[in-house]
Amino acid sequence: MANILKDITNQLKVDETSEIFDQKIDVNKRTNNLLSNVDDVEDTLGQFNIKVLGIGGAGCNVVEHMIAARIWPDNVSLYALNTDIKALKRMQGLANIYLLGKKTLRGAGSGGDPSIGKISVDEGRTDIRGALQGTDILFIVAGLGKGTGSGASPEIAKIARELGILTVAIVNFPSVNAEGRTIYENALNSFDVLKAEVNSITRISNDKIISSSKDISFAKAFEQANIAVTNTVSDVVDMVGSASNMNLDFADVCNFFKAHSTFMAGTFNVNNDYTKDLLKDAIKKSIKDSFSDVNIKAENVKVILNLKINTNTPASINNDIRNVFKDLTNNNSLSLVPGVDQVNIEGVKASYLMSANELTDQNDEEEVYGEELTNISTKNTENTTMSDMFKIDDIDLGEYKSKKVNSNTGGVRRETVHFNTEELIVEGNRFNSRDASKLITKAINSVMKKESEPSEFTKKYN
């Protein structure tokens, strides 16, 4: 019996080094190959090519600020494009610079004429197309209203669209009071053209910068626009480039910009004594303090959130944030896509992108429906009947918001309508002919009733 056991033991020892053991090695090899299949992956895989093009004077100023603001990853390239050679030379050695209209304009600038800005792109199309090849996300940064930014930006966006590049525009919008009607109308026209060529766009309002910067210098006030643009681009770069506990990835960001033609960006912080009320106050303040003049009360609102928390942050944080945004946007179907990273910080820090409407949102005003416009002005109104002034045929009229009441004072803000056959401008907001017809019809109806009975607004506030 002892001999039989000895023979079995010896046979087992032999088997360990023969077929059975070999099979174990084969299995382990296959397992190791599967688990280590990223060993030969190129370093550039998962690193997406992001380019920022500052176009015109304001755009180049932003790029200059971006260079000083932080060290950008290797996959982010900054470009300054202008028709003004003196402005470009100031940035030589700091960023990739390109003189638009080199032969035709000879570095003299566009003279504030968008049509000149547009043709300045023509001779450099091949160069620009070559520079954009391989780009995954393109940010176009410009000031609208003058020549190069207004005229060249849509043309460059068109080149990017032809190449299939995801293109996002961040534009600075002029103040009609500070910069004049011509510049403002140039900006309105350029905004519409640019919006049609990009995937998504947001605008930063000089009026909002001016109104929120009463106690600082002119230079520091407009530095706020540079900071706002830099933060927006920086947040997107960090969203797609940083690994975290709950990742936002490149596809999340792309889907957001492809699905929503207008957006706003913001940041908020909550100190270490986290409460839902503090969270709501912080988010509400971030929206109110934003220089973006878009309206967040949009259908199918979506928020992409880049959130940094600590070990004490409650598990309900994502749900709490979504509920706050739902309340502020009046949208129960709001979608929140979070990226969450637990780090060694005090409190909660977050940046976000939120889809929006392009109409202006006055955060401190309550909208009132059906009130008469108090100051209607048209061209050539002498000896003209009401029906002659406003030609409206076969239009589905519906309701339109025609007046706003300042909730702080309860007073009425007077509105002036400038009307022609193509467009309507009310307090700097531009409407197409269909919306103009709705607004004008509401105004006419209200004015016609004015003599016969007091309006609801009058009953309420007088």
Side-chain angles (χ1 to χ4, degrees), residues 58-142:
C60 290
N61 287 341
V62 172
V63 167
E64 189 172 6
H65 181 273
M66 291 177 70
I67 293 167
R70 63 170 283 182
I71 297 174
W72 295 88
D74 292 339
N75 63 314
V76 179
S77 302
L78 306 179
Y79 292 75
L81 292 79
N82 207 345
T83 55
D84 184 346
I85 186 60
K86 292 180 181 178
L88 274 182
K89 280 189 173 181
R90 191 183 69 211
M91 300 183 66
Q92 202 163 8
L94 299 176
N96 302 288
I97 62 174
Y98 189 81
L99 181 62
L100 295 168
K102 181 178 179 179
K103 295 178 181 178
T104 54
L105 302 179
R106 300 174 58 194
S110 62
D113 186 344
S115 65
I116 299 299
K118 180 178 180 178
I119 64 173
S120 73
V121 178
D122 289 343
E123 68 182 68
R125 286 184 186 276
T126 301
D127 292 340
I128 295 169
R129 181 180 289 270
L132 294 182
Q133 291 283 356
T135 303
D136 295 299
I137 302 180
L138 173 66
F139 287 96
I140 289 180
V141 179

Coordinates of all heavy atoms in Angstrom, one line a residue, residues 58-142:
A58 N -10.5 91.7 -29.6 CA -11.0 91.2 -28.3 C -10.6 89.7 -28.2 O -10.2 89.3 -27.1 CB -12.5 91.4 -28.3
G59 N -10.7 89.0 -29.2 CA -10.3 87.6 -29.2 C -8.9 87.4 -28.9 O -8.5 86.5 -28.1
C60 N -8.0 88.2 -29.5 CA -6.6 88.1 -29.2 C -6.3 88.5 -27.7 O -5.4 87.9 -27.1 CB -5.8 89.0 -30.2 SG -5.8 88.3 -31.8
N61 N -7.0 89.5 -27.2 CA -6.8 89.9 -25.8 C -7.1 88.7 -24.9 O -6.5 88.5 -23.9 CB -7.7 91.1 -25.5 CG -7.2 92.4 -26.1 OD1 -6.1 92.5 -26.5 ND2 -8.1 93.3 -26.2
V62 N -8.2 88.0 -25.2 CA -8.5 86.8 -24.4 C -7.4 85.8 -24.4 O -7.0 85.2 -23.4 CB -9.9 86.2 -24.9 CG1 -10.1 84.8 -24.1 CG2 -11.0 87.1 -24.6
V63 N -6.9 85.5 -25.6 CA -5.8 84.5 -25.7 C -4.6 84.9 -24.9 O -3.9 84.1 -24.3 CB -5.4 84.3 -27.2 CG1 -4.1 83.5 -27.4 CG2 -6.6 83.5 -27.9
E64 N -4.3 86.2 -25.0 CA -3.2 86.7 -24.2 C -3.4 86.5 -22.7 O -2.5 86.1 -22.0 CB -3.0 88.2 -24.5 CG -1.7 88.8 -23.9 CD -1.5 90.2 -24.4 OE1 -2.3 90.8 -25.1 OE2 -0.4 90.8 -24.0
H65 N -4.6 86.7 -22.3 CA -4.9 86.5 -20.9 C -4.9 85.0 -20.5 O -4.4 84.6 -19.5 CB -6.4 87.0 -20.6 CG -6.8 86.8 -19.1 ND1 -7.4 85.6 -18.7 CD2 -6.7 87.6 -18.0 CE1 -7.6 85.7 -17.4 NE2 -7.2 86.9 -17.0
M66 N -5.3 84.1 -21.5 CA -5.2 82.7 -21.2 C -3.8 82.2 -21.1 O -3.5 81.3 -20.2 CB -5.9 82.0 -22.4 CG -7.4 82.2 -22.5 SD -8.2 81.4 -23.9 CE -8.0 79.7 -23.4
I67 N -2.9 82.8 -21.8 CA -1.5 82.4 -21.7 C -1.0 82.6 -20.4 O -0.2 81.8 -19.8 CB -0.7 83.1 -22.8 CG1 -1.1 82.6 -24.2 CG2 0.8 82.9 -22.6 CD1 -0.6 83.4 -25.3
A68 N -1.3 83.8 -19.8 CA -0.8 84.2 -18.5 C -1.6 83.5 -17.3 O -1.1 83.4 -16.2 CB -0.9 85.7 -18.3
A69 N -2.8 83.0 -17.6 CA -3.6 82.5 -16.5 C -3.2 81.1 -16.0 O -3.4 80.9 -14.8 CB -5.1 82.4 -17.0
R70 N -2.7 80.3 -16.8 CA -2.4 78.9 -16.4 C -1.4 78.2 -17.4 O -1.2 78.7 -18.5 CB -3.6 78.0 -16.2 CG -4.4 77.8 -17.5 CD -5.5 76.8 -17.4 NE -5.0 75.4 -17.4 CZ -5.7 74.3 -17.3 NH1 -7.0 74.4 -17.2 NH2 -5.2 73.1 -17.3
I71 N -0.9 77.1 -16.9 CA -0.1 76.3 -17.9 C -1.1 75.3 -18.5 O -1.7 74.5 -17.8 CB 1.0 75.5 -17.1 CG1 2.0 76.5 -16.5 CG2 1.7 74.5 -18.0 CD1 3.0 75.8 -15.6
W72 N -1.2 75.4 -19.8 CA -2.2 74.6 -20.5 C -1.5 73.2 -20.9 O -0.3 73.1 -21.2 CB -2.6 75.3 -21.8 CG -3.4 76.5 -21.4 CD1 -2.9 77.8 -21.2 CD2 -4.8 76.6 -21.2 NE1 -3.9 78.7 -20.9 CE2 -5.1 78.0 -20.8 CE3 -5.9 75.7 -21.3 CZ2 -6.3 78.4 -20.5 CZ3 -7.1 76.2 -21.0 CH2 -7.4 77.5 -20.6
P73 N -2.3 72.1 -20.9 CA -1.8 70.8 -21.3 C -1.3 70.8 -22.8 O -1.6 71.7 -23.6 CB -3.0 69.9 -21.2 CG -4.0 70.6 -20.3 CD -3.8 72.1 -20.6
D74 N -0.5 69.8 -23.1 CA 0.1 69.8 -24.4 C -0.9 69.6 -25.5 O -0.6 70.0 -26.7 CB 1.1 68.6 -24.5 CG 2.3 68.8 -23.6 OD1 2.6 70.0 -23.3 OD2 3.0 67.8 -23.3
N75 N -2.1 69.1 -25.2 CA -3.1 68.9 -26.3 C -3.9 70.1 -26.5 O -4.9 70.1 -27.3 CB -4.0 67.7 -25.9 CG -4.8 68.0 -24.6 OD1 -4.3 68.5 -23.6 ND2 -6.1 67.7 -24.7
V76 N -3.6 71.3 -25.9 CA -4.3 72.5 -26.1 C -3.4 73.5 -26.8 O -2.3 73.8 -26.3 CB -4.8 73.1 -24.7 CG1 -5.6 74.4 -24.9 CG2 -5.7 72.1 -24.0
S77 N -3.9 74.0 -27.9 CA -3.1 75.0 -28.7 C -3.9 76.3 -28.7 O -5.1 76.3 -29.0 CB -2.8 74.5 -30.1 OG -2.1 73.2 -30.0
L78 N -3.1 77.4 -28.6 CA -3.7 78.7 -28.6 C -3.3 79.5 -29.8 O -2.1 79.5 -30.1 CB -3.4 79.5 -27.3 CG -3.7 78.8 -26.0 CD1 -3.2 79.7 -24.8 CD2 -5.2 78.5 -25.8
Y79 N -4.2 80.2 -30.5 CA -3.9 80.9 -31.7 C -4.5 82.3 -31.6 O -5.6 82.5 -31.1 CB -4.6 80.2 -32.9 CG -4.0 78.9 -33.3 CD1 -4.2 77.7 -32.6 CD2 -3.1 78.8 -34.4 CE1 -3.7 76.5 -32.9 CE2 -2.6 77.5 -34.8 CZ -2.9 76.4 -34.0 OH -2.3 75.2 -34.4
A80 N -3.8 83.3 -32.2 CA -4.3 84.6 -32.3 C -4.3 85.0 -33.8 O -3.3 85.0 -34.4 CB -3.4 85.6 -31.5
L81 N -5.5 85.4 -34.2 CA -5.7 85.8 -35.6 C -6.2 87.2 -35.7 O -7.2 87.5 -35.0 CB -6.6 84.8 -36.4 CG -6.2 83.4 -36.6 CD1 -6.3 82.5 -35.3 CD2 -7.0 82.7 -37.7
N82 N -5.6 88.0 -36.5 CA -6.0 89.4 -36.5 C -5.7 90.0 -37.9 O -4.8 89.5 -38.6 CB -5.4 90.2 -35.4 CG -6.3 91.4 -35.0 OD1 -7.2 91.8 -35.7 ND2 -6.0 92.0 -33.8
T83 N -6.3 91.1 -38.2 CA -5.9 91.9 -39.4 C -5.0 93.0 -39.1 O -4.5 93.7 -40.0 CB -7.2 92.5 -40.1 OG1 -7.9 93.2 -39.1 CG2 -8.1 91.4 -40.6
D84 N -4.7 93.2 -37.8 CA -3.9 94.3 -37.3 C -2.5 93.8 -36.9 O -2.4 93.1 -35.9 CB -4.6 95.0 -36.1 CG -3.8 96.2 -35.6 OD1 -2.7 96.4 -35.9 OD2 -4.4 96.9 -34.7
I85 N -1.5 94.1 -37.7 CA -0.2 93.6 -37.5 C 0.4 94.1 -36.2 O 1.2 93.3 -35.5 CB 0.8 93.9 -38.7 CG1 2.1 93.2 -38.5 CG2 0.9 95.4 -38.9 CD1 2.0 91.7 -38.5
K86 N 0.1 95.3 -35.8 CA 0.7 95.8 -34.5 C 0.2 95.0 -33.3 O 1.0 94.7 -32.4 CB 0.4 97.3 -34.4 CG 1.0 98.2 -35.4 CD 0.6 99.7 -35.2 CE 1.3 100.6 -36.2 NZ 0.9 102.0 -36.0
A87 N -1.1 94.7 -33.3 CA -1.6 93.9 -32.2 C -1.1 92.5 -32.2 O -0.8 92.0 -31.1 CB -3.2 93.9 -32.4
L88 N -0.8 92.0 -33.4 CA -0.3 90.6 -33.4 C 1.1 90.5 -33.0 O 1.5 89.6 -32.3 CB -0.4 90.0 -34.9 CG -1.7 89.4 -35.3 CD1 -1.6 88.9 -36.7 CD2 -2.1 88.2 -34.3
K89 N 1.9 91.5 -33.4 CA 3.4 91.5 -33.0 C 3.5 91.5 -31.5 O 4.5 91.0 -31.0 CB 4.1 92.7 -33.6 CG 4.4 92.4 -35.1 CD 5.3 93.5 -35.7 CE 5.8 93.1 -37.1 NZ 6.7 94.2 -37.6
R90 N 2.6 92.1 -30.8 CA 2.7 92.1 -29.3 C 2.6 90.7 -28.7 O 3.1 90.5 -27.6 CB 1.5 93.0 -28.8 CG 1.6 93.3 -27.3 CD 0.3 94.1 -26.9 NE -0.9 93.2 -26.9 CZ -2.1 93.7 -27.1 NH1 -2.3 95.0 -27.4 NH2 -3.1 92.9 -27.1
M91 N 2.0 89.8 -29.5 CA 1.9 88.4 -29.0 C 2.9 87.5 -29.6 O 2.8 86.2 -29.4 CB 0.5 87.9 -29.3 CG -0.6 88.8 -28.6 SD -2.3 88.1 -28.9 CE -2.2 86.6 -28.0
Q92 N 3.8 88.0 -30.4 CA 4.8 87.1 -31.0 C 5.6 86.4 -30.0 O 6.1 86.9 -29.0 CB 5.7 88.0 -31.9 CG 6.4 87.2 -33.0 CD 7.0 88.1 -34.1 OE1 7.0 89.3 -34.0 NE2 7.4 87.5 -35.2
G93 N 5.7 85.1 -30.2 CA 6.5 84.2 -29.2 C 5.6 83.7 -28.1 O 6.0 82.8 -27.3
L94 N 4.4 84.2 -27.9 CA 3.5 83.8 -26.9 C 2.5 82.7 -27.4 O 2.1 81.8 -26.6 CB 2.8 85.0 -26.2 CG 3.6 86.0 -25.6 CD1 2.7 87.2 -25.1 CD2 4.4 85.5 -24.4
A95 N 2.0 82.9 -28.6 CA 1.0 82.0 -29.1 C 1.3 81.9 -30.6 O 2.1 82.6 -31.2 CB -0.4 82.6 -28.9
N96 N 0.6 81.0 -31.3 CA 0.6 80.9 -32.7 C -0.2 82.1 -33.3 O -1.3 82.3 -32.9 CB -0.1 79.6 -33.2 CG 0.5 78.3 -32.6 OD1 1.6 78.0 -33.0 ND2 -0.2 77.7 -31.6
I97 N 0.5 82.9 -34.1 CA -0.1 84.1 -34.6 C -0.3 84.0 -36.1 O 0.5 83.4 -36.8 CB 0.6 85.4 -34.2 CG1 2.0 85.4 -34.8 CG2 0.7 85.5 -32.7 CD1 2.8 86.7 -34.5
Y98 N -1.3 84.6 -36.6 CA -1.6 84.6 -38.1 C -2.2 85.9 -38.5 O -3.2 86.3 -37.9 CB -2.5 83.4 -38.4 CG -2.6 83.2 -39.9 CD1 -1.6 82.5 -40.6 CD2 -3.7 83.7 -40.6 CE1 -1.7 82.3 -42.0 CE2 -3.8 83.5 -42.0 CZ -2.8 82.8 -42.7 OH -2.9 82.6 -44.0
L99 N -1.7 86.5 -39.5 CA -2.2 87.8 -40.0 C -3.2 87.5 -41.1 O -2.9 87.0 -42.2 CB -1.0 88.7 -40.6 CG -1.4 90.0 -41.1 CD1 -2.0 90.9 -40.0 CD2 -0.2 90.7 -41.7
L100 N -4.4 87.9 -40.8 CA -5.5 87.7 -41.8 C -5.4 88.8 -42.9 O -5.2 90.0 -42.5 CB -6.9 87.7 -41.1 CG -7.2 86.6 -40.2 CD1 -8.4 86.9 -39.3 CD2 -7.4 85.3 -40.9
G101 N -5.7 88.5 -44.1 CA -5.7 89.5 -45.2 C -4.3 90.1 -45.4 O -4.2 91.3 -45.6
K102 N -3.2 89.3 -45.3 CA -1.9 89.8 -45.3 C -1.6 90.6 -46.6 O -1.0 91.7 -46.5 CB -0.9 88.7 -45.2 CG 0.6 89.1 -45.2 CD 1.5 87.9 -45.0 CE 3.0 88.3 -45.0 NZ 3.8 87.1 -44.8
K103 N -2.0 90.1 -47.7 CA -1.7 90.8 -49.0 C -2.7 91.9 -49.3 O -2.3 93.0 -49.8 CB -1.8 89.7 -50.1 CG -0.7 88.7 -50.1 CD -0.8 87.7 -51.2 CE 0.2 86.6 -51.1 NZ 0.1 85.6 -52.2
T104 N -4.0 91.7 -49.0 CA -5.0 92.7 -49.3 C -5.1 93.8 -48.4 O -5.3 95.0 -48.8 CB -6.4 92.0 -49.4 OG1 -6.6 91.3 -48.2 CG2 -6.4 91.0 -50.6
L105 N -4.9 93.5 -47.1 CA -5.1 94.6 -46.1 C -3.7 95.1 -45.6 O -3.6 96.2 -45.0 CB -5.9 94.1 -44.9 CG -7.3 93.6 -45.2 CD1 -8.0 93.1 -43.9 CD2 -8.1 94.7 -45.8
R106 N -2.7 94.3 -45.8 CA -1.3 94.7 -45.4 C -1.2 95.1 -44.0 O -0.4 96.0 -43.6 CB -0.8 95.9 -46.3 CG -0.9 95.5 -47.8 CD -0.6 96.7 -48.7 NE 0.7 97.2 -48.4 CZ 1.2 98.4 -48.8 NH1 0.3 99.2 -49.6 NH2 2.3 98.9 -48.5
G107 N -1.9 94.4 -43.1 CA -1.7 94.6 -41.7 C -2.4 95.8 -41.1 O -2.2 96.2 -40.0
A108 N -3.2 96.5 -41.9 CA -3.8 97.8 -41.5 C -5.1 97.6 -40.7 O -5.6 98.6 -40.1 CB -4.1 98.6 -42.7
G109 N -5.6 96.4 -40.5 CA -6.8 96.2 -39.8 C -8.1 96.3 -40.7 O -7.9 96.5 -41.9
S110 N -9.2 96.1 -40.1 CA -10.5 96.0 -40.9 C -11.3 97.3 -40.8 O -12.3 97.4 -41.5 CB -11.3 94.9 -40.4 OG -11.7 95.1 -39.0
G111 N -10.8 98.3 -40.0 CA -11.5 99.5 -39.9 C -12.9 99.4 -39.3 O -13.8 100.2 -39.6
G112 N -13.2 98.4 -38.6 CA -14.5 98.2 -38.0 C -15.6 97.7 -38.9 O -16.7 97.7 -38.6
D113 N -15.2 97.3 -40.1 CA -16.1 96.9 -41.1 C -16.2 95.3 -41.2 O -15.2 94.7 -41.7 CB -15.7 97.4 -42.5 CG -16.8 97.2 -43.6 OD1 -17.6 96.3 -43.4 OD2 -16.7 97.9 -44.6
P114 N -17.3 94.7 -40.8 CA -17.4 93.2 -40.9 C -17.2 92.7 -42.3 O -16.7 91.5 -42.4 CB -18.9 93.0 -40.4 CG -19.2 94.1 -39.5 CD -18.5 95.3 -40.2
S115 N -17.6 93.4 -43.3 CA -17.4 92.9 -44.7 C -15.9 92.7 -45.0 O -15.5 91.8 -45.7 CB -18.1 93.8 -45.7 OG -17.5 95.1 -45.7
I116 N -15.1 93.7 -44.5 CA -13.7 93.6 -44.6 C -13.1 92.4 -43.8 O -12.3 91.6 -44.3 CB -13.0 94.9 -44.2 CG1 -13.4 96.0 -45.1 CG2 -11.4 94.7 -44.3 CD1 -13.2 95.9 -46.5
G117 N -13.6 92.2 -42.6 CA -13.2 91.1 -41.8 C -13.5 89.7 -42.5 O -12.8 88.8 -42.4
K118 N -14.7 89.7 -43.2 CA -15.1 88.5 -43.9 C -14.1 88.2 -45.0 O -13.6 87.0 -45.2 CB -16.5 88.7 -44.5 CG -17.0 87.4 -45.2 CD -18.4 87.7 -45.7 CE -18.9 86.4 -46.5 NZ -20.3 86.6 -46.9
I119 N -13.8 89.1 -45.9 CA -12.9 88.8 -47.0 C -11.4 88.6 -46.6 O -10.6 88.1 -47.3 CB -13.0 90.0 -48.1 CG1 -12.4 91.3 -47.5 CG2 -14.4 90.1 -48.6 CD1 -12.3 92.4 -48.6
S120 N -11.1 89.0 -45.4 CA -9.7 88.8 -44.9 C -9.4 87.4 -44.7 O -8.2 87.0 -44.7 CB -9.5 89.6 -43.5 OG -10.2 88.9 -42.5
V121 N -10.4 86.5 -44.7 CA -10.2 85.1 -44.5 C -9.8 84.4 -45.8 O -9.1 83.4 -45.9 CB -11.4 84.4 -43.9 CG1 -11.2 82.9 -43.7 CG2 -11.7 85.0 -42.5
D122 N -10.2 85.0 -46.9 CA -10.2 84.4 -48.3 C -8.8 83.9 -48.6 O -8.6 82.8 -49.0 CB -10.7 85.3 -49.3 CG -12.2 85.5 -49.3 OD1 -12.9 84.7 -48.6 OD2 -12.7 86.5 -49.8
E123 N -7.8 84.8 -48.5 CA -6.5 84.4 -49.0 C -5.8 83.4 -48.1 O -4.8 82.8 -48.5 CB -5.6 85.6 -49.2 CG -5.2 86.3 -47.9 CD -4.4 87.6 -48.1 OE1 -4.9 88.6 -48.7 OE2 -3.2 87.5 -47.7
G124 N -6.3 83.2 -46.9 CA -5.7 82.3 -45.9 C -6.4 81.0 -45.7 O -6.1 80.3 -44.7
R125 N -7.4 80.7 -46.5 CA -8.3 79.6 -46.3 C -7.5 78.3 -46.2 O -7.7 77.4 -45.4 CB -9.4 79.4 -47.3 CG -10.5 80.4 -47.1 CD -11.6 80.3 -48.1 NE -12.6 81.3 -48.0 CZ -13.6 81.4 -47.1 NH1 -13.7 80.3 -46.3 NH2 -14.4 82.4 -47.0
T126 N -6.5 78.1 -47.1 CA -5.7 76.9 -47.2 C -4.9 76.7 -45.9 O -4.8 75.7 -45.3 CB -4.8 76.9 -48.4 OG1 -5.6 77.0 -49.6 CG2 -4.0 75.6 -48.4
D127 N -4.3 77.8 -45.5 CA -3.5 77.8 -44.2 C -4.4 77.5 -43.0 O -4.0 76.7 -42.2 CB -2.8 79.2 -44.0 CG -1.8 79.5 -45.0 OD1 -1.3 78.5 -45.7 OD2 -1.4 80.7 -45.2
I128 N -5.5 78.1 -42.9 CA -6.4 77.9 -41.8 C -6.9 76.5 -41.8 O -6.9 75.8 -40.7 CB -7.6 78.9 -41.8 CG1 -7.0 80.3 -41.6 CG2 -8.6 78.6 -40.7 CD1 -8.1 81.4 -41.9
R129 N -7.3 76.0 -42.9 CA -7.7 74.6 -43.0 C -6.6 73.6 -42.6 O -6.9 72.6 -41.8 CB -8.2 74.3 -44.4 CG -8.7 72.8 -44.7 CD -9.1 72.6 -46.1 NE -10.3 73.4 -46.4 CZ -11.5 72.9 -46.3 NH1 -11.7 71.6 -45.9 NH2 -12.6 73.6 -46.6
G130 N -5.4 73.9 -43.0 CA -4.3 73.0 -42.6 C -4.1 73.1 -41.1 O -3.8 72.0 -40.4
A131 N -4.2 74.2 -40.5 CA -4.0 74.4 -39.0 C -5.0 73.7 -38.2 O -4.8 73.2 -37.1 CB -3.9 75.8 -38.6
L132 N -6.3 73.6 -38.8 CA -7.4 73.0 -38.1 C -7.5 71.5 -38.2 O -8.2 70.8 -37.5 CB -8.7 73.6 -38.5 CG -8.9 75.1 -38.2 CD1 -10.3 75.6 -38.7 CD2 -8.7 75.3 -36.7
Q133 N -6.7 70.9 -39.2 CA -6.8 69.5 -39.4 C -6.4 68.7 -38.1 O -5.5 69.0 -37.4 CB -5.8 69.1 -40.5 CG -6.1 69.5 -41.9 CD -7.2 68.7 -42.5 OE1 -7.7 67.7 -42.0 NE2 -7.6 69.1 -43.7
G134 N -7.2 67.7 -37.8 CA -7.0 66.9 -36.6 C -7.5 67.4 -35.3 O -7.3 66.9 -34.3
T135 N -8.2 68.6 -35.4 CA -8.8 69.2 -34.2 C -10.0 68.4 -33.7 O -10.9 68.1 -34.6 CB -9.1 70.6 -34.4 OG1 -7.9 71.3 -34.9 CG2 -9.6 71.3 -33.1
D136 N -10.1 68.1 -32.4 CA -11.3 67.5 -31.9 C -12.4 68.5 -31.4 O -13.6 68.4 -31.6 CB -11.0 66.5 -30.8 CG -10.1 65.4 -31.3 OD1 -10.6 64.6 -32.1 OD2 -9.0 65.2 -30.8
I137 N -11.9 69.5 -30.7 CA -12.8 70.6 -30.2 C -12.1 71.9 -30.6 O -11.0 72.2 -30.2 CB -13.0 70.6 -28.7 CG1 -13.7 69.2 -28.3 CG2 -14.0 71.7 -28.3 CD1 -14.0 69.2 -26.8
L138 N -12.9 72.8 -31.2 CA -12.4 74.1 -31.6 C -13.2 75.2 -30.8 O -14.4 75.2 -30.9 CB -12.5 74.4 -33.1 CG -12.2 75.8 -33.5 CD1 -10.7 76.1 -33.3 CD2 -12.6 76.0 -35.0
F139 N -12.5 76.0 -30.1 CA -13.2 77.2 -29.5 C -12.9 78.4 -30.3 O -11.7 78.8 -30.5 CB -12.7 77.4 -28.0 CG -13.2 76.4 -27.0 CD1 -12.4 75.3 -26.7 CD2 -14.4 76.6 -26.5 CE1 -12.9 74.4 -25.8 CE2 -14.9 75.6 -25.6 CZ -14.1 74.5 -25.2
I140 N -13.9 79.1 -30.7 CA -13.7 80.4 -31.4 C -14.1 81.5 -30.4 O -15.2 81.5 -29.9 CB -14.6 80.5 -32.7 CG1 -14.1 79.6 -33.8 CG2 -14.7 81.9 -33.2 CD1 -14.9 79.6 -35.0
V141 N -13.1 82.4 -30.2 CA -13.3 83.4 -29.2 C -13.2 84.8 -29.9 O -12.2 85.0 -30.6 CB -12.2 83.3 -28.1 CG1 -12.4 84.4 -27.1 CG2 -12.3 82.0 -27.4
A142 N -14.2 85.6 -29.8 CA -14.2 86.9 -30.5 C -15.1 87.9 -29.8 O -16.0 87.5 -29.1 CB -14.6 86.7 -32.0

